[in-house]
């Protein structure tokens, strides 16, 4: 085993055994290389935090309602929203490693003929979950919706984070 693999393995072991992960059962997906879990089971003493749906920030909050308020493609908007999730969780003493479930709503991208850009979502998602730095993954649902409350928004993310006490 190489030194790099040993270090990565030790990092994964430490992350999985840290206090915020203790007692939470995470079942990997049956799909190879999946960035999400098949399921998560929380012990009875878990502290659970729910974040409301988060959208990308408006480019111009004072723009008229009929104008596009969010800019960028699905990948860039997903990255922005996941950073917001990370920031809000940090303010509550939590991290992305505490995320146990995400519900992601995608609007079809006009640049892709109205189809959802699942690949764009995945690129951004894999920067936050299942990485060497943050190896834990959440359970996740992703659906396409007709629209979101913010004109031009291509993504909204609801988050559930938990830690065993």
């Amino acid at each position: 085993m190489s030194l790099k693999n040993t270090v990565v393995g030790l990092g994964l072991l430490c992350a999985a055994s840290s206090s915020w992960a203790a007692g939470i059962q995470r079942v990997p997906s049956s799909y190879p290389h999946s960035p999400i879990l098949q399921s998560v089971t929380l012990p009875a003493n878990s502290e659970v935090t729910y974040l409301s749906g988060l959208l990308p920030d408006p480019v111009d909050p004072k723009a008229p309602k009929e104008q596009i308020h969010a800019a960028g493609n699905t990948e860039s908007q997903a990255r922005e929203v996941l950073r917001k999730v990370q920031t809000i969780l940090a303010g509550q003493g939590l991290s992305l490693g505490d995320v146990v479930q995400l519900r992601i709503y995608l609007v079809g991208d006009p640049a892709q003929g109205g189809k959802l850009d699942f690949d764009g979502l995945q690129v951004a998602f894999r920067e936050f979950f299942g990485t060497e730095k943050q190896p834990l993954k959440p359970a996740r649902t992703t659906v396409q919706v007709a629209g979101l409350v913010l004109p031009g928004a291509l993504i909204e993310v609801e988050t559930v984070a938990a830690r065993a006490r």
Side-chain angles (χ1 to χ4, degrees):
M1 180 187 265
S2 74
L3 179 59
K4 179 182 177 188
N5 288 344
T6 302
V7 171
V8 170
L10 288 173
L12 292 173
L13 179 62
C14 290
S17 65
S18 67
S19 64
W20 45 260
I24 295 177
Q25 180 185 3
R26 296 170 185 261
V27 178
S29 172
S30 58
Y31 295 104
H33 311 295
S34 177
I36 63 173
L37 298 173
Q38 182 177 40
S39 67
V40 176
T41 303
L42 304 177
N45 66 339
S46 296
E47 176 183 312
V48 181
T49 300
Y50 300 89
L51 301 187
S52 293
L54 295 171
L55 297 157
D57 289 328
V59 175
D60 179 4
K62 296 178 184 177
K65 286 185 180 183
E66 63 276 0
Q67 285 187 1
I68 299 298
H69 285 65
N73 61 15
T74 300
E75 180 182 335
S76 64
Q77 288 189 22
R79 191 174 290 113
E80 179 184 348
V81 172
L82 291 171
R83 281 188 194 120
K84 287 171 82 169
V85 168
Q86 188 173 33
T87 299
I88 291 168
L89 290 174
Q92 297 180 29
L94 299 166
S95 73
L96 291 175
D98 296 309
V99 173
V100 294
Q101 183 184 31
L102 293 170
R103 285 188 274 302
I104 299 180
Y105 306 96
L106 295 177
V107 172
D109 187 338
Q112 295 198 11
K115 295 179 182 176
L116 68 85
D117 181 8
F118 190 74
D119 291 338
L121 167 67
Q122 290 289 81
V123 168
F125 189 86
R126 289 176 186 272
E127 294 173 14
F128 294 86
F129 296 98
T131 67
E132 284 187 31
K133 183 179 175 184
Q134 198 297 100
L136 299 177
K137 303 172 185 179
R140 184 184 83 191
T141 299
T142 305
V143 297
Q144 182 171 349
V145 296
L148 297 168
V149 69
L150 181 67
L154 300 174
I155 184 169
E156 183 169 350
V157 177
E158 292 180 12
T159 306
V160 179
R163 61 180 157 202
R165 293 182 190 197

